[in-house]
RNA sequence: GCCGACAUAGCUCAGUUGGUAGAGCAGCGGUUUUGUAAACCGCGGGUCGUGGGUUCGAGUCCCUCUGUCGGCUCCA
């Protein structure tokens, strides 16, 4: 704890030193805020029409080092609020003035609960704070809550990393400032280790690996956020889909199929139309109706349910479909496969009675756990419940009962969970699953949501045991979530080294010379009869043969670059010994020809 | 969408103060028949992302558009 406090003070002090250095280099700089963030700090600066680029970092760092070398003390002092305001005016620091106005009026600079018009506005009312604190080092003075290290010499190791635009107080109507980011650590070793870690993360970037492993690509002509999957990438997608659907089939889900464009009327009736400004409209369909690309599948599945009268005896009805949805995400939000405009969901909808919710949630949670066990990923559940606001539709008693059920399921299954009040959708509570990747980052993948509203809007019913008409509850669920996002997460998690069952090319035969051709025929006959049943059923072995007139070294190099998990090296010695030399990521063994098939099946599950 | 940076051969990149493009790998042809991460020789390949402008002359300078990357959540 002690150490956390001291590193925090170091980083905060570095923010001040950076601001001091910039003020020295650009005396007209207007300062915003300069907080501590994970691994470092930033400061928001307004230089008017001038721009700072990363080329200026050396100059700024040099100036910072001078301040550090002078080992100036950080002196604390307080000023009455009105004197502080006078200081801001004299120092020509309008952003500081706004912060002081907020302090005077609200007693805090936190904007939560404030109308945006109020932020930064002066008040004539009595101040909520009497005095505000300042820190001074050398001739640089800044409004600051602290804490700081004793003097500028005690800030550890730092490096300026990047620069970005950021709106003053996060509001896009405000002036945009330049945000300079730096990292800071107690020792140079820690700094170097951090920079090294950043390099490692870069190596795992799924956009880079996707290209190297020939999994997917993008095209300017097709458009932003619209990935194209190569044959290899498509194999991975299909297998992920097969795994998800295999699990679901075992839990009573049936596949359905719907078209990808729809009359907008469908989404007007479901209530999604107004909630989805990022829809893709399709204007040239020859009809008086307006059409759009589907941003979600639930209304369609609801129409399948509504296609004929339903009895309580049929429930639960469970539909599943791996299908693409289209959303016009903001251009700046797009990022490789993790945020796209065409995303494939392993979507599913359950129509059931209120009494059946518990069993269905248990079943869905069980599938999610089975799925992420296969990937070896840890998960955490966020139970998104309603708060006391009136934005939620449906009977409050139903909500309470459902939320109790959901938490009971989480407890029963021993989930690592937490409750997020106010995070529920307007139509019902949900469980979102967060998975942690190898770099410790958390991603939202699987989700399951209760929906009280769509059955109502679409007038879905079933006939109950006593002959009365009842409304079913709808459950939305996705196990992988979006295939695209999951692939991004999983590629980075595994560094592109996909497990054997999922590798697009599982085995490559590498020949040493062309005297082994007929022996290779025997091997391919064995491989083509080898079938994997776990974790996806009837998974035929995917293999190729490299008989090119190239050196073995080169063939190995290429196979390794594609992260093909198993290479069979075949030369004259192997022919004589009736064996195969098997080369894998971490080991190399020789296997008798008649044991090859069994060996591969065994290795595939490890 | 907004701010900043970037866009040169299939890939990774070089291209000096403006004087109409280079390397390695990949590809193709030949030689080589090879035992654990790149054999050798040769050849072809680029409207320098798009459109416009400045200039005698633009990959290089200016503008537009498209795309890519980093941010736009962290609150004295």
């Amino acid at each position: 704890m002690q150490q956390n406090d001291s590193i925090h003070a170091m980083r905060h002090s570095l923010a001040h030193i950076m601001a001091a250095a910039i003020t020295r280099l650009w005396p007209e700089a207007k300062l915003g805020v300069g907080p501590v963030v994970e691994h470092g700090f930033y400061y928001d600066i307004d230089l008017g029409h001038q721009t700072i680029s990363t080329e200026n970092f050396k100059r700024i760092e040099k100036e910072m080092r001078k301040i550090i070398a002078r080992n100036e003390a950080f002196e604390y002092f307080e000023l009455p609020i009105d004197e502080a305001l006078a200081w801001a005016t004299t120092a020509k620091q309008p952003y500081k003035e706004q912060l002081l106005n907020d302090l005077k009026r609200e007693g805090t600079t936190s904007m939560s609960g404030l109308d945006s018009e109020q932020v930064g506005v002066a008040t004539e009312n009595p101040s909520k704070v009497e005095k505000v604190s300042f820190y001074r080092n050398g001739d640089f003075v800044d409004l600051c809550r602290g804490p700081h290290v004793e003097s500028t010499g005690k800030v550890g190791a730092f490096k300026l990393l990047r620069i970005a635009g950021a709106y003053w107080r996060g509001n896009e109507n405000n002036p945009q400032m330049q945000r300079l980011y730096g990292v800071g650590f107690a020792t140079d070793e820690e700094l170097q280790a951090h920079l090294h870690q950043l390099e490692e993360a870069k190596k795992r970037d799924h956009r880079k690996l996707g290209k190297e492993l020939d999994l997917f690509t993008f095209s300017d002509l097709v458009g932003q956020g619209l990935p194209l999957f190569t044959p290899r990438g498509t194999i991975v997608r299909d297998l992920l889909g097969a795994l998800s659907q295999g699990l679901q089939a075992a839990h009573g889900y049936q596949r359905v199929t719907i078209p990808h464009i729809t009359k907008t009327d469908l989404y007007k009736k479901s209530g999604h139309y107004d909630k989805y400004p990022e829809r893709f409209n399709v204007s040239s369909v020859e009809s008086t109706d307006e059409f759009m690309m589907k941003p979600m599948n639930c209304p369609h599945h609801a129409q399948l349910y509504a296609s004929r009268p339903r009895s309580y005896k049929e429930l639960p009805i469970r539909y599943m479909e791996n299908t693409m949805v289209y959303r016009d995400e903001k251009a700046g939000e797009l990022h490789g496969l993790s945020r796209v405009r065409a995303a494939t969901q392993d979507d599913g909808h359950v129509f059931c009675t209120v009494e059946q919710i518990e069993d269905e949630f248990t079943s869905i949670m069980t599938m999610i756990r089975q799925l992420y066990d296969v990937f070896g990923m840890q998960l955490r559940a966020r139970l998104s419940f309603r708060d006391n606001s009136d934005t939620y539709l449906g009977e409050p008693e139903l909500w309470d009962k459902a939320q109790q059920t959901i938490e009971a399921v989480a407890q029963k299954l021993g989930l690592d969970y937490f409750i997020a009040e106010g995070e529920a959708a307007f139509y019902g509570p949900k469980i979102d699953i967060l998975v942690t990747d190898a770099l410790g980052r958390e991603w939202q993948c699987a989700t399951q949501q209760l929906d009280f509203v769509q059955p109502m809007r679409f007038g879905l019913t079933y006939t109950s045991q006593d002959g009365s008409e009842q409304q079913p509850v709808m459950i939305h669920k996705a196990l992988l979530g979006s295939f695209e996002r999951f692939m991004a997460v999983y590629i980075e998690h595994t560094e592109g080294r996909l497990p054997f069952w999922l590798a697009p090319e599982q085995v490559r035969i590498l020949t040493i010379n062309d005297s082994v051709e007929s022996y290779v025929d025997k091997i391919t006959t064995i491989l083509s009869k080898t079938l994997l049943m776990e974790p996806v059923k009837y998974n035929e072995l995917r293999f190729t043969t490299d008989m090119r007139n190239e050196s073995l070294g080169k063939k190995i190099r290429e196979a390794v670059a594609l992260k093909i998990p198993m290479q069979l090296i075949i030369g004259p010695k192997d022919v004589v010994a009736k064996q195969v030399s098997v080369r894998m990521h971490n080991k190399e063994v020789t296997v008798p020809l008649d044991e090859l098939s069994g060996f591969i099946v065994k290795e595939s599950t490890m």
Side-chain angles (χ1 to χ4, degrees):
Chain A
M1 214 49 198
Q2 184 87 44
Q3 202 177 354
N4 282 348
D5 289 348
S6 80
I7 190 71
H8 187 275
M10 282 183 188
R11 287 168 179 162
H12 198 173
S13 302
L14 279 164
H16 274 231
I17 292 169
M18 180 170 74
I22 289 168
T23 310
R24 197 170 291 259
L25 294 168
W26 291 275
E28 69 282 13
K30 309 272 182 281
L31 304 179
V33 295
V36 172
V37 293
E38 194 180 12
H39 303 134
F41 58 93
Y42 70 78
Y43 219 111
D44 285 347
I45 313 280
D46 183 354
L47 278 179
H49 292 296
Q50 278 195 68
T51 54
I52 297 180
S53 76
T54 47
E55 285 165 26
N56 300 122
F57 279 3
K58 281 216 173 89
R59 275 176 73 199
I60 299 170
E61 286 179 346
K62 195 174 166 192
E63 200 62 38
M64 289 174 71
R65 283 186 222 293
K66 282 191 208 164
I67 296 169
I68 291 168
R70 283 199 293 272
N71 199 20
E72 298 161 353
F74 278 102
E75 299 166 35
Y76 175 89
F77 64 95
E78 292 180 344
L79 284 181
I81 182 76
D82 288 318
E83 282 182 39
L85 276 163
W87 163 82
T89 312
T90 321
K92 297 202 174 87
Q93 290 295 349
Y95 299 106
K96 297 293 178 189
E97 194 174 332
Q98 286 193 28
L99 292 172
L100 287 161
N101 282 333
D102 286 346
L103 277 173
K104 182 173 178 182
R105 195 187 57 252
E106 305 289 336
T108 171
T109 58
S110 168
M111 294 195 299
S112 51
L114 278 189
D115 286 345
S116 53
E117 300 86 58
Q118 292 181 316
V119 172
V121 173
T123 176
E124 294 303 319
N125 296 332
S127 178
K128 291 208 175 168
V129 288
E130 284 181 23
K131 289 176 175 179
V132 290
S133 58
F134 283 80
Y135 277 85
R136 183 203 330 264
N137 62 281
D139 50 11
F140 179 76
V141 174
D142 199 3
L143 169 71
C144 179
R145 162 169 72 186
H148 282 287
V149 293
E150 274 171 49
S151 59
T152 57
K154 302 189 173 166
V155 291
F158 76 98
K159 185 173 169 59
L160 301 188
L161 279 193
R162 45 174 179 267
I163 197 153
Y167 297 108
W168 170 239
R169 319 216 77 174
N171 183 333
E172 63 184 356
N173 298 317
N174 284 340
Q176 185 146 17
M177 312 183 72
Q178 295 193 77
R179 177 168 295 179
L180 278 75
Y181 280 93
V183 287
F185 290 90
T187 64
D188 194 50
E189 290 73 48
E190 288 172 78
L191 174 66
Q192 294 309 325
H194 177 73
L195 295 176
H196 182 71
Q197 167 85 9
L198 288 180
E199 287 300 310
E200 286 298 306
K202 237 186 215 173
K203 278 190 215 161
R204 288 171 179 263
D205 191 319
H206 75 274
R207 294 167 299 189
K208 182 170 167 284
L209 286 166
K211 182 175 275 183
E212 287 172 7
L213 304 182
D214 191 24
L215 295 173
F216 58 87
T217 187
F218 288 89
S219 154
D220 292 13
L221 284 171
V222 174
Q224 276 187 295
L226 302 170
L228 308 174
F229 288 88
T230 63
R232 286 176 187 274
T234 301
I235 290 170
V236 176
R237 285 170 57 91
D238 286 350
L239 287 163
L240 291 173
L243 176 64
S244 171
Q245 291 200 330
L247 280 170
Q248 292 177 68
H251 284 79
Y253 285 73
Q254 298 172 291
R255 289 182 58 197
V256 295
T257 306
I258 63 174
H260 288 210
I261 65 170
T262 309
K263 291 204 298 191
T264 54
D265 292 350
L266 178 70
Y267 292 105
K268 285 176 181 163
K269 187 149 189 182
S270 72
H272 291 114
Y273 192 80
D274 294 329
K275 301 251 170 205
Y276 270 82
E278 63 268 35
R279 60 183 165 265
F280 281 111
N281 288 316
V282 182
S283 50
S284 62
V285 176
E286 221 175 286
S287 162
T288 50
D289 294 312
E290 204 184 304
F291 285 79
M292 60 190 272
M293 303 299 295
K294 67 179 165 80
M296 54 205 32
N297 313 305
C298 29
H300 300 78
H301 289 182
Q303 296 316 302
L304 279 167
Y305 176 93
S307 64
R308 61 175 172 80
R310 301 292 179 178
S311 151
Y312 74 95
K313 294 177 188 170
E314 294 180 80
L315 303 186
I317 288 174
R318 308 179 186 93
Y319 295 142
M320 65 169 165
E321 181 173 5
N322 293 343
T323 184
M324 223 175 243
V325 293
Y326 308 88
R327 296 173 187 180
D328 188 9
E329 305 287 356
K330 287 183 183 178
E333 304 269 315
L334 301 172
H335 179 90
L337 287 188
S338 35
R339 193 73 180 262
V340 292
R341 284 173 167 162
T344 315
Q345 299 176 328
D346 54 341
D347 208 357
H349 297 94
V350 178
F351 302 87
C352 65
T353 67
V354 173
E355 292 69 35
Q356 289 168 332
I357 292 174
E358 181 172 350
D359 281 352
E360 291 309 304
F361 261 68
T362 306
S363 146
I364 293 167
M365 238 5 271
T366 305
M367 289 191 286
I368 290 171
R369 285 225 288 215
Q370 289 172 331
L371 185 75
Y372 289 93
D373 272 355
V374 171
F375 298 119
M377 298 179 88
Q378 296 290 319
L379 49 83
R380 214 155 70 93
R382 177 177 61 215
L383 313 190
S384 298
F385 289 170
R386 71 174 180 136
D387 55 21
N388 289 324
S389 69
D390 54 4
T391 54
Y392 305 100
L393 299 180
E395 294 167 37
E397 308 83 61
L398 196 54
W399 273 82
D400 290 343
K401 194 175 166 192
Q403 291 185 174
Q404 282 163 20
T405 305
I406 288 172
E407 191 170 1
V409 169
Q411 280 176 355
K412 183 175 73 183
L413 296 177
L415 285 186
D416 178 5
Y417 74 93
F418 63 98
I419 292 172
E421 267 186 33
E423 291 294 310
F426 71 94
Y427 50 77
K430 58 182 178 174
I431 303 184
D432 292 315
I433 301 301
L434 305 168
V435 303
T436 307
D437 73 12
L439 295 179
R441 298 171 298 186
E442 267 194 338
W443 298 85
Q444 187 186 318
C445 289
T447 179
Q448 49 179 323
Q449 316 188 351
L450 261 179
D451 188 341
F452 307 127
V453 172
Q454 277 192 70
M456 191 171 71
R457 296 191 77 122
F458 285 123
L460 304 184
T461 58
Y462 65 90
T463 307
S464 71
Q465 202 159 5
D466 63 11
S468 64
E469 286 229 315
Q470 300 290 331
Q471 195 166 86
V473 167
M474 196 170 170
I475 301 173
H476 309 252
K477 72 101 195 63
L479 308 184
L480 292 161
S482 139
F483 284 43
E484 288 76 13
R485 164 176 287 215
F486 180 79
M487 278 178 72
V489 171
Y490 197 56
I491 287 169
E492 298 193 5
H493 178 68
T494 59
E495 213 175 341
R497 190 164 285 115
L498 299 176
F500 194 90
W501 71 273
L502 191 55
E505 187 177 342
Q506 296 167 311
V507 178
R508 185 175 282 190
I509 300 169
L510 311 181
T511 58
I512 283 169
N513 61 36
D514 51 20
S515 74
V516 300
E517 268 185 50
S518 59
Y519 188 67
V520 165
D521 283 345
K522 283 186 194 167
I523 294 168
T524 57
T525 304
I526 291 169
L527 296 186
S528 58
K529 287 179 184 163
T530 300
L531 193 64
L532 308 180
M533 294 298 285
E534 290 287 337
V536 171
K537 286 182 183 171
Y538 307 108
N539 194 347
E540 289 179 20
L541 206 63
R542 296 177 294 278
F543 65 93
T544 61
T545 307
D546 186 353
M547 297 234 265
R548 289 175 307 162
N549 179 10
E550 296 285 355
S551 70
L552 179 61
K554 182 166 185 169
K555 292 180 181 183
I556 288 174
R557 190 183 163 81
E558 289 182 8
V560 169
L562 283 168
K563 301 196 201 278
I564 296 165
M566 188 181 285
Q567 297 124 40
L568 307 183
I569 293 165
I570 312 298
K573 292 178 203 163
D574 300 295
V575 178
V576 173
K578 289 193 168 58
Q579 65 176 28
V580 183
S581 302
V582 183
R583 190 183 190 284
M584 282 165 290
H585 177 46
N586 287 328
K587 61 176 169 178
E588 186 167 349
V589 291
T590 54
V591 177
L593 189 58
D594 54 9
E595 290 174 21
L596 181 60
S597 190
F599 174 82
I600 291 172
V601 171
K602 188 165 138 267
E603 281 297 323
S604 74
T605 59
M606 292 174 75

